[in-house]
């Protein structure tokens, strides 16, 4: 697999590997699962059975599941042809689409 080179954004700068992965993982969606773990942690604390180690592991696991789901969704949307937007369009439609635009 070849490595994606940084591409220019609309402001003339280049987008590095880190920002491409942040876009691919869709960081803004990670709060969906994280919120559920926080509520569960609060309930455990209220019940007197809170464990910081287990809470942090559950939080890390939920974030990893959500990030992996987002990457998986982007890949299979590409493979199935569900996302067929022109890869040259600077204002690509929808979240992710890093594969369709040739970033990953």
């Amino acid at each position: 697999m070849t490595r994606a080179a940084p591409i220019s954004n609309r402001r003339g700068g280049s987008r590095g590997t880190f920002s491409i992965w942040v876009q691919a993982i869709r960081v803004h969606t990670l709060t969906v699962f994280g919120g559920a773990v926080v509520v569960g942690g609060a309930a455990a604390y209220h019940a007197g059975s809170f464990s910081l180690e287990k809470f942090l592991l559950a939080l890390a696991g939920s974030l990893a599941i959500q990030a992996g789901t987002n990457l998986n969704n982007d890949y299979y949307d590409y493979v199935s042809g569900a996302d067929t937007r022109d890869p040259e369009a600077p204002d690509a439609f929808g979240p992710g689409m890093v594969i369709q635009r040739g970033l990953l």
Side-chain angles (χ1 to χ4, degrees):
M1 178 182 291
T2 60
R3 185 176 165 168
I7 62 168
S8 295
N9 62 20
R10 285 182 256 179
R11 295 185 187 123
S14 67
R15 297 175 64 179
T17 304
F18 180 75
S19 68
I20 292 170
W21 279 103
V22 166
Q23 182 181 357
I25 292 172
R26 301 179 210 165
V27 174
H28 63 280
T29 67
L30 298 183
T31 58
V32 174
F33 280 100
V37 173
V38 169
V39 169
Y45 181 79
H46 182 69
S49 60
F50 180 79
S51 168
L52 181 61
E53 294 84 14
K54 291 177 183 177
F55 173 76
L56 293 176
L57 285 172
L59 187 62
S62 70
L63 296 177
I65 289 169
Q66 181 66 34
T69 300
N70 290 340
L71 292 170
N72 198 28
N73 176 265
D74 205 39
Y75 173 75
Y76 283 104
D77 281 352
Y78 172 72
V79 170
S80 70
D83 290 338
T84 58
R85 172 87 177 193
D86 178 16
E88 299 299 321
D91 59 340
F93 198 66
M97 293 186 59
V98 293
I99 296 172
Q100 293 81 344
R101 288 183 272 170
L103 303 177
L104 291 179

